[in-house]
C-alpha cells in the first residue's frame, strides 16, 4: 500500500528526527532482549515516567529470564505492586518459564516464535523482534495508529477490523529498510511527543509535507475519539480479622479482577447491602462463622473500567480458617509479613486504612455499626 517514493519520504526523515529528538530512556541504552521485553510489557497501559523506576527495580530483583522463571509468582507480583493490570506480570512469569523450557533461557528472535509465548500479542512480538533483534516486524499501538491515520487519512473507529488491517499493512510496508527497531520507536516517539492526540505540534513534524490529514485540515478529526463506557460501580466487603498480632489474608483465583493477588478476604456486595448481610456472605465464603464488631471507613479507588468501593468490616470468629474453596490460599500474616505479598494498590490502601484504625491493638476507634452501609465512601 506504500509506493517506494512515499516510503523514502517517510522512513528516512522519521529516523533522522528520532536520532535528534529521542528521549533518553533506560531501556534504549541496553541490547538485552529480556530488558527490552520487560519495558514493553510495563509500558502497556502505563506512562513512561511511572515505568522507569519499576523497570529498574524489577531488573535488579530479577536480572535474567532464568531468575524470573525460577522466582515464586508471589515475589513477581510483589515486584509489580502498584503497576496495575496484573495479568501482565502473570503472563511475563509464565512466558519466562516457557523461554527456559523451550528456548534454553534465550528469547526467540522472530515475531512468529515470540507469538507462541504467553502475553505476546502482535504488538509486543513485533516490538521485541524489531528492537532487540532487528527483524522487519511491524508494530501498531495507540501512538502508531494515530500517526498512520493522519499520514494516510485512514478512516474508522479504533477497534474497527478493516481499519486495523489497513494500519498493520501500512506499518508492515514502512518498517522495511534500515534499522527497523529504531524506525518503530521513531513512529511511537513521534506519536507520543509531536503527533499528539490533543494539540499536535504539526509545525515541528518532520513528515508534515507527506501528511494527508495536514493537507486537508483534518488532523483534529483523525483518528476519531473512541467512546469510553462509563466505569462500572463495584462494591466489595472486606473482612478485617485480627488475631494474635496477625490478620487474615486471602489469595484470589488467577482469573478476573486482581487475579492471583493477595487481599483482605473480600466478597462482592451491592450498594445497599447491609453490614449483617455482607458479614454473612463473608462467613459463607470463608467457611467460618463471623461476628461483626464494627465498620471502618470505606476506601474508594478509580480503576480504568471500574469505580471501586471497598468496605472494611471488623470481624472476629472462634474458628480460624486456613483454607477456603473460594480462594487459592489463606494465610494469617503480621502487617510486616504482608508487605512481601503481591497485593493491588487498592487492597494496600484498604489494609493501610484498617491499620490506621488500630485494629492490631492500637487506640483508634472503630465506628459503631449502623443498620445500613453508609452511602458515601471516604476516598483515600
Amino acid at each position: 500500500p506504500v509506493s517506494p517514493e512515499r516510503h523514502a519520504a517517510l522512513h528516512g526523515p522519521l529516523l533522522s528526527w528520532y536520532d535528534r529528538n529521542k528521549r533518553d530512556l533506560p531501556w534504549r541504552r541496553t541490547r538485552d532482549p529480556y530488558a527490552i521485553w520487560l519495558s514493553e510489557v510495563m509500558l502497556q497501559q502505563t506512562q513512561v515516567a511511572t515505568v522507569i523506576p519499576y523497570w529498574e527495580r524489577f531488573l535488579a530483583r530479577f536480572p535474567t529470564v532464568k531468575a524470573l522463571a525460577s522466582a515464586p509468582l508471589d515475589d513477581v507480583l510483589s515486584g509489580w505492586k502498584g503497576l496495575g493490570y496484573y495479568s501482565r506480570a502473570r503472563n511475563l512469569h509464565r512466558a519466562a518459564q516457557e523461554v527456559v523450557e523451550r528456548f534454553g533461557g534465550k528469547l526467540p528472535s522472530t515475531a512468529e516464535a515470540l507469538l507462541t509465548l504467553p502475553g505476546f500479542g502482535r504488538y509486543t512480538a513485533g516490538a521485541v523482534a524489531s528492537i532487540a533483534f532487528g527483524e522487519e516486524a511491524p508494530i501498531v499501538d495507540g501512538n502508531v495508529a494515530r500517526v498512520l491515520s493522519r499520514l494516510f487519512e485512514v478512516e474508522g473507529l479504533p477497534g474497527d477490523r478493516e481499519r486495523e488491517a489497513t494500519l498493520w499493512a501500512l506499518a508492515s510496508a514502512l518498517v522495511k529498510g534500515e534499522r527497523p527497531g529504531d524506525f518503530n520507536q521513531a513512529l511511537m516517539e513521534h506519536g507520543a511527543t509531536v503527533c499528539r492526540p490533543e494539540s499536535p505540534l504539526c509545525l515541528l513534524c518532520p513528515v508534515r509535507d507527506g501528511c494527508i490529514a495536514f493537507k486537508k485540515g483534518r488532523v483534529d478529526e483523525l483518528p476519531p475519539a473512541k467512546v469510553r463506557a462509563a466505569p462500572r460501580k463495584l462494591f466489595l466487603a472486606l473482612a478485617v480479622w485480627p488475631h494474635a498480632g496477625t490478620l487474615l489474608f486471602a489469595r484470589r483465583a488467577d482469573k478476573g479482577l486482581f487475579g492471583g493477588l493477595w487481599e483482605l478476604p473480600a466478597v462482592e456486595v451491592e450498594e445497599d447491602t447491609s453490614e449483617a448481610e455482607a458479614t454473612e456472605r463473608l462467613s459463607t465464603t470463608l467457611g467460618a462463622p463471623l461476628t461483626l464488631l464494627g465498620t471502618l471507613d470505606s476506601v474508594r479507588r478509580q480503576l480504568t473500567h471500574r469505580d471501586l468501593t471497598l468496605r472494611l468490616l471488623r470481624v472476629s470468629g472462634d474458628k480460624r480458617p486456613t483454607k477456603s474453596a473460594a480462594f487459592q490460599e489463606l494465610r494469617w500474616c503480621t502487617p510486616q509479613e504482608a508487605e512481601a505479598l503481591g497485593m493491588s494498590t487498592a487492597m494496600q490502601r484498604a489494609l493501610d486504612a484498617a491499620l490506621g484504625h488500630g485494629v492490631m491493638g492500637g487506640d483508634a476507634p472503630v465506628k459503631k455499626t449502623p443498620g445500613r452501609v453508609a452511602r458515601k465512601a471516604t476516598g483515600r
Side-chain angles (χ1 to χ4, degrees), residues 141-163:
D141 69 348
N143 284 320
V144 174
R146 184 168 56 258
V147 172
L148 296 180
S149 293
R150 289 169 175 170
L151 283 174
F152 291 90
E153 197 182 23
V154 180
E155 307 283 359
L157 282 165
D160 175 76
R161 190 174 293 177
E162 195 177 325
R163 172 187 186 263

Side-chain angles (χ1 to χ4, degrees), residues 25-353:
L25 303 175
W27 43 86
R28 289 180 176 163
R29 298 181 220 136
T30 179
R31 303 307 314 155
D32 177 11
Y34 164 62
I36 291 166
W37 167 38
L38 178 63
S39 74
E40 288 299 336
V41 176
M42 287 188 166
L43 286 165
Q44 292 164 18
Q45 311 278 356
T46 310
Q47 293 183 336
V48 167
T50 304
V51 166
I52 291 173
Y54 275 97
W55 181 82
E56 290 172 337
R57 282 198 301 268
F58 199 92
L59 266 185
R61 193 165 172 181
F62 311 106
T64 63
V65 173
K66 287 181 178 172
L68 177 60
S70 60
L73 178 59
D74 260 359
D75 288 0
V76 177
L77 291 170
S78 172
W80 204 267
K81 192 187 281 189
L83 263 182
Y85 298 95
Y86 292 91
S87 60
R88 297 181 297 172
R90 292 196 300 276
N91 283 331
L92 189 79
H93 188 236
R94 278 175 44 227
Q97 291 174 332
E98 285 198 25
V99 169
V100 169
E101 288 164 20
R102 292 168 48 203
F103 300 104
K106 292 192 172 169
L107 273 170
S109 61
T110 66
E112 186 180 16
L114 289 166
L115 275 170
T116 66
L117 293 167
F120 272 88
R122 199 171 174 188
Y123 166 80
T124 308
V128 174
S130 64
I131 296 167
F133 299 107
E135 186 183 32
E136 291 177 345
I139 58 160
V140 177
D141 69 348
N143 284 320
V144 174
R146 184 168 56 258
V147 172
L148 296 180
S149 293
R150 289 169 175 170
L151 283 174
F152 291 90
E153 197 182 23
V154 180
E155 307 283 359
L157 282 165
D160 175 76
R161 190 174 293 177
E162 195 177 325
R163 172 187 186 263
E164 300 304 313
T166 301
L167 293 173
W168 278 100
L170 289 167
S172 300
L174 287 172
V175 77
K176 290 186 169 35
E178 61 171 338
R179 299 164 56 200
D182 283 347
F183 179 76
N184 278 339
Q185 290 186 88
L187 276 178
M188 289 191 285
E189 189 83 348
H190 185 55
T193 61
V194 175
C195 197
R196 307 179 304 193
E198 312 287 331
S199 312
L201 305 174
C202 294
L203 292 176
L204 301 180
C205 175
V207 289
R208 184 180 63 201
D209 292 346
C211 179
I212 300 174
F214 181 74
K215 280 181 186 165
K216 294 190 177 180
R218 298 194 62 203
V219 172
D220 291 336
E221 295 172 30
L222 293 170
K226 190 174 184 178
V227 181
R228 279 194 185 276
R232 182 167 76 88
K233 288 191 172 183
L234 184 65
F235 300 87
L236 297 178
L238 274 58
V240 181
W241 188 351
H243 170 72
T246 64
L247 284 166
L248 180 60
F249 291 89
R251 184 170 171 178
R252 295 174 77 93
D254 278 337
K255 294 230 167 102
L257 182 67
F258 304 137
L261 296 173
W262 288 88
E263 66 182 18
L264 296 168
V267 292
E268 188 172 345
V269 293
E270 288 73 49
E271 188 167 7
D272 59 355
T273 301
S274 69
E275 269 94 351
E277 167 66 16
T279 305
E280 194 61 41
R281 289 192 203 177
L282 283 165
S283 297
T284 303
T285 300
L286 289 169
L290 296 177
T291 303
L292 178 63
L293 301 181
T295 61
L296 312 173
D297 289 339
S298 292
V299 172
R300 287 278 303 274
R301 289 288 292 175
Q302 191 72 51
L303 308 180
T304 309
H305 303 295
R306 291 182 179 87
D307 183 0
L308 189 63
T309 301
L310 305 176
R311 297 186 168 143
L312 278 65
L313 304 183
R314 172 85 155 76
V315 300
S316 69
D318 295 330
K319 178 188 169 192
R320 279 179 290 282
T322 54
K323 62 181 186 221
S324 154
F327 297 103
Q328 287 195 56
E329 205 179 331
L330 297 181
R331 199 181 286 180
W332 293 86
C333 292
T334 66
Q336 290 71 33
E337 289 166 343
E339 287 174 14
L341 299 178
M343 198 179 299
S344 70
T345 304
M347 292 299 172
Q348 186 66 51
R349 293 280 165 83
L351 174 59
D352 293 344

